[in-house]
Amino acid sequence: MSTRYPFTAVVGMDDLRLALLLNAVSPAVGGVLVRGEKGTAKSTAVRALAELLPVVPVVAGCRFGCDPASPDPGCPDGPHEAGPGAERPARMVELPVGASEDRLVGSLDIEKALAEGVKAFEPGLLADAHRGILYVDEVNLLHDHLIDLLLDAAAMGFSNVEREGVSVRHAARFLLVGTMNPEEGELRPQLLDRFGLTVEVAASRDPEQRVEVVRRRLAFEDDPAAFAARWAGEEAELRERIVAARELLPRVVLGDAVLLQIAATCAAFEVDGMRADIVMARTATALAAWAGRTEVTSEDVRQAALLALPHRRRRSPFDAPGLDEDRLDETLERFKGDDPDPEPEPDGPDDGGPGDGGPGDGGPGGGGPDGGGIPPQGDGPPPEDVPAPEETPVPEPAPAPAPQRAGAGAGERAAVKAAEPFRTKVLSVPGLGEGAAGRRSRARTEHGRTTGSTRPRGALTKLHLAATVRAAAPHQKARGRTGPGLVVRRDDLRQATREGREGNLVLFAVDASGSMAARQRMSAVKGAVLSLLLDAYQRRDKVGLVTFRGRDAEVALPPTSSVDAAAARLEQLPTGGRTPLSAGLLKAHDVLRVERLRDPSRRPLLVVVTDGRATGGRAAGDPVALAARAARLHAAEGTASVVVDCETGPVRLGLAGRLAVELGGTAVTLDELRADSIAGLVRDVQAGQAGHAARATRRAA
């Protein structure tokens, strides 16, 4: 067995280590989501935690890790009688990104079903992780339905398996730890909420600390056993402290005053639901036990809020997680139940304090020797809180023109803010794809409704049991079957075909030229693109951003799963210059060509945001004809496309509509893009594709 890096040897990362230890003390906290850039020791710290957990007593031979002191009465391997049992180290089970649903929750034991004719359950990773750690690296890249399954099990403490004639329920209590790099895409807010705590980690900028990280890592790689031995004492002390905190935890008192602070904090930060309150209460209790106390304090509540609330403040993927600590301190101070009552005002004659109208007060009835409230006259200016008499109002200055960026070319304007995003109509790719699971277009997927069966083309990944039995049944006599088992050969196996939804590559080609540069107009355009980006995030798409203006086009963001990165690039996008529409379409064609080689199963959707006007760029020739020729390249490859027509004003040339025809797609206006403005946009996209196919057939004939 390989030697793991010691937990106590991790340099810095105080919040990460504390969050992991609190979950080790109280798994009911609900797990940890670790967010951070690559190379920040996220996985190292999580794997090191497993060595600190106490040994686990289990029922000998139980595949579900039942506790011999209180075995699960519904255990599929039970019933078990209470007894001494055996001991094993706490397990750390890793869930790979490409895991199937069968591997996670378990499934019918196909071998026993076919060979012995019995119905048996084969446990999955949730059963293996019971009373241990379930670690999901790159949790943001895991399929949504798998995340839902494991988070449900983590919240309820058991797993329900209802599939292929199997009905099983078994205990599944584990410490859930997920790590992710936000640059590769975000989790949906409702999934973020299911993690108890979250921690942001980043590499230290302190040179001395970075030197120590490198020194320890090199020493570990040179001799892992010797390095681990150097930290064995600290590891043993930390392990004993975890055991002591677990024993103290049931005796920790969570008073009403502390509960009021927790509720007030969650209300002040407007978190949704009640899960945050419960997680904060459990975290504060674990903090008190970790500190060796039997009473929760305000400082425990503060620390619990910093760990439990930042990720629950996100309302959209474009919101950065975080918490206003000044506001947190004000809320805790306001609802601090053990504060003494404020001192009463002293009795007696008026002492002329501020606001009482006595001598020396600047309010009515005071401020002047005659008590008339007239400010003292003199050579100096009047007090700041008293307006000057007969003051002449100063007119507001006219709004300044849009600022130019430093070094910007002639006619180029600085970036404008996007308008508020809105819910858009669903844009989908017609036909039936076979791409990565998502929520946009119809596709054959591993997960979804079963639509039939087929002979496997290679390795069998999803057995269609009923079809396999039907294929093998007519041949049992000829194969000499004598026992209860079914004689099955490879030719009998059938692959289940399922239909679900796939995620697509949504590539935006955004016109940032001078014809789009009116501030109000560009703000609306950015708001529309931002709305489409939000829709892409919710449908688990990859997104890319190509912009064109001046004399050329550029890839502002290569295809990625991080839509918030796309939103950030969009926000900084300046406008101005000519309209090299053909260059933008050709750049988009290059991006899609490369992506087809990288990920051929992911179908693209091209969204061109423009008014359709082309005024040339580096290429010589008629700009409109060049743009039409570039559009036909996309049409020839069958790329699904939508043109968002941004043309405004009383005189409209309809150039965006013509561009959509050349692309073989459809055109929609900014108003039509809204979900509540027009019905059947998906049908329009599909009709545009069908029309393109018909035109191509006529040209071929």
Side-chain angles (χ1 to χ4, degrees):
M1 183 177 177
S2 61
T3 303
R4 285 178 176 162
Y5 194 89
F7 188 85
T8 51
V10 176
V11 179
M13 306 294 179
D14 294 338
D15 288 344
L16 170 58
R17 291 190 294 172
L18 177 61
L20 291 172
L21 290 170
L22 291 177
N23 275 271
V25 171
S26 175
V29 166
V32 186
L33 175 64
V34 187
R35 299 163 45 93
E37 58 196 21
K38 51 187 176 293
T40 49
K42 302 186 295 291
S43 301
T44 299
V46 174
R47 293 188 174 99
L49 178 68
E51 298 295 321
L52 297 177
L53 298 183
V55 295
V56 178
V58 296
V59 174
C62 178
R63 297 174 298 167
F64 299 88
C66 284
D67 187 350
S70 57
D72 180 8
C75 176
D77 283 357
H80 304 300
E81 295 183 1
E87 288 187 345
R88 62 167 171 79
R91 293 175 177 169
M92 192 191 79
V93 177
E94 295 195 37
L95 177 63
V97 171
S100 66
E101 184 177 345
D102 291 344
R103 187 70 187 100
L104 178 63
V105 301
S107 64
L108 178 69
D109 190 328
I110 300 295
E111 183 177 350
K112 286 188 176 181
L114 296 179
E116 303 176 19
V118 297
K119 186 167 65 175
F121 178 68
E122 184 177 3
L125 294 177
L126 291 180
D128 293 342
H130 180 46
R131 305 173 69 199
I133 300 175
L134 181 60
Y135 173 49
V136 187
D137 193 14
E138 306 294 352
V139 65
N140 52 324
L141 303 182
L142 199 65
H143 291 315
D144 284 351
H145 74 284
L146 294 183
I147 297 176
D148 291 333
L149 287 171
L150 69 89
L151 290 178
D152 284 342
M156 296 184 296
F158 58 84
S159 174
N160 268 330
V161 185
E162 300 284 347
R163 54 186 304 139
E164 297 167 344
V166 175
S167 179
V168 171
R169 170 173 168 161
H170 64 84
R173 293 183 295 275
F174 47 81
L175 166 55
L176 176 63
V177 182
T179 58
M180 60 174 284
N181 182 352
E183 294 178 357
E184 297 173 338
E186 286 284 357
L187 282 173
R188 304 197 313 270
Q190 57 267 42
L191 297 181
L192 282 173
D193 183 54
R194 302 299 290 272
F195 282 93
L197 310 179
T198 188
V199 178
E200 294 277 343
V201 296
S204 172
R205 299 297 182 258
D206 180 6
E208 293 184 1
Q209 195 172 73
R210 296 175 74 99
V211 166
E212 185 62 23
V213 170
V214 175
R215 182 183 292 117
R216 292 186 186 183
R217 188 68 204 186
L218 293 178
F220 173 75
E221 292 177 354
D222 289 342
D223 192 344
F227 184 83
R230 284 172 46 195
W231 296 89
E234 288 86 345
E235 293 281 292
E237 291 178 6
L238 196 57
R239 191 177 295 110
E240 293 173 1
R241 186 176 176 186
I242 292 174
V243 174
R246 283 185 172 186
E247 294 175 351
L248 182 62
L249 186 66
R251 303 199 301 273
V252 175
V253 177
L254 190 67
D256 290 342
V258 171
L259 279 173
L260 180 60
Q261 283 188 315
I262 291 172
T265 301
C266 293
F269 285 98
E270 300 178 351
V271 295
D272 296 332
M274 296 297 298
R275 185 175 285 115
D277 304 62
I278 297 171
V279 170
M280 274 189 64
R282 290 171 173 167
T283 305
T285 304
L287 280 162
W290 179 246
R293 290 182 273 102
T294 57
E295 187 172 351
V296 178
T297 66
S298 293
E299 185 58 33
D300 295 330
V301 176
R302 185 182 192 279
Q303 185 65 52
L306 293 175
L307 293 172
L309 295 187
H311 60 301
R312 294 184 167 88
R313 291 277 296 149
R314 288 175 65 94
R315 291 296 185 269
S316 79
F318 313 129
D319 296 335
L323 210 63
D324 185 345
E325 295 193 30
D326 291 337
R327 184 178 178 186
L328 173 61
D329 292 335
E330 291 174 4
T331 303
L332 293 176
E333 186 64 29
R334 179 183 176 189
F335 290 91
K336 193 173 183 180
D338 55 357
D339 277 355
D341 294 333
E343 294 184 4
E345 293 289 339
D347 296 327
D350 191 355
D351 61 356
D356 60 65
D361 187 58
D370 59 356
I374 301 174
Q377 303 296 317
D379 296 334
E384 292 183 1
D385 58 340
V386 180
E390 303 294 333
E391 188 170 5
T392 304
V394 180
E396 294 185 2
Q404 289 191 358
R405 293 188 311 153
E412 183 174 315
R413 297 187 180 183
V416 299
K417 293 192 64 174
E420 284 297 317
F422 51 84
R423 189 168 65 89
T424 66
K425 281 289 185 183
V426 180
L427 305 176
S428 66
V429 179
L432 193 64
E434 296 182 351
R439 296 188 171 188
R440 183 171 295 279
S441 306
R442 292 175 55 236
R444 295 186 184 93
T445 61
E446 293 187 1
H447 310 282
R449 62 186 183 90
T450 301
T451 58
S453 63
T454 184
R455 291 180 183 271
R457 297 176 297 177
L460 180 70
T461 57
K462 206 73 173 179
L463 179 72
H464 194 298
L465 184 58
T468 299
V469 171
R470 285 196 301 267
H475 309 291
Q476 296 306 296
K477 185 175 180 180
R479 293 173 183 174
R481 171 186 168 186
T482 57
L486 195 67
V487 180
V488 179
R489 295 179 180 171
R490 178 161 184 81
D491 289 344
D492 302 326
L493 299 178
R494 294 294 182 269
Q495 173 86 22
T497 57
R498 298 189 174 188
E499 183 177 315
R501 292 279 171 177
E502 67 176 358
N504 298 111
L505 166 60
V506 182
L507 180 63
F508 295 92
V510 179
D511 184 351
S513 64
S515 64
M516 305 278 287
R519 293 183 68 82
Q520 184 176 0
R521 182 180 179 190
M522 196 60 198
S523 176
V525 168
K526 285 189 176 183
V529 178
L530 196 65
S531 304
L532 291 167
L533 283 172
L534 181 59
D535 181 69
Y537 163 79
Q538 294 168 341
R539 299 185 187 281
R540 312 303 288 171
D541 294 316
K542 289 179 70 175
V543 296
L545 180 61
V546 171
T547 63
F548 52 95
R549 62 186 177 87
R551 301 184 63 192
D552 211 345
E554 64 174 349
V555 181
L557 182 73
T560 176
S561 296
S562 179
V563 296
D564 53 340
R569 301 291 173 88
L570 178 71
E571 192 71 22
Q572 299 165 6
L573 177 65
T575 58
R578 300 173 70 82
T579 311
L581 179 56
S582 61
L585 294 174
L586 290 175
K587 183 68 71 174
H589 182 266
D590 291 341
V591 171
L592 294 180
R593 177 178 54 81
V594 173
E595 285 301 309
R596 283 191 181 96
L597 297 175
R598 290 178 178 171
D599 190 358
S601 64
R602 188 181 289 269
R603 297 187 295 164
L605 173 64
L606 176 63
V607 179
V608 184
V609 184
T610 181
D611 57 8
R613 301 182 182 184
T615 55
R618 294 185 184 276
D622 180 10
V624 176
L626 291 173
R629 187 183 305 169
R632 287 194 289 271
L633 287 176
H634 291 279
E637 295 181 355
T639 302
S641 58
V642 177
V643 178
V644 179
D645 185 357
C646 303
E647 191 174 28
T648 57
V651 179
R652 302 194 181 191
L653 303 179
L655 296 175
R658 299 179 197 173
L659 177 64
V661 171
E662 296 292 350
L663 285 167
T666 187
V668 294
T669 65
L670 290 175
D671 290 336
E672 292 171 346
L673 193 61
R674 294 178 178 271
D676 55 357
S677 64
I678 187 171
L681 184 55
V682 178
R683 293 193 295 273
D684 291 344
V685 175
Q686 295 172 342
Q689 293 294 313
H692 162 68
R695 288 190 296 273
T697 302
R698 287 195 298 270
R699 284 197 297 267

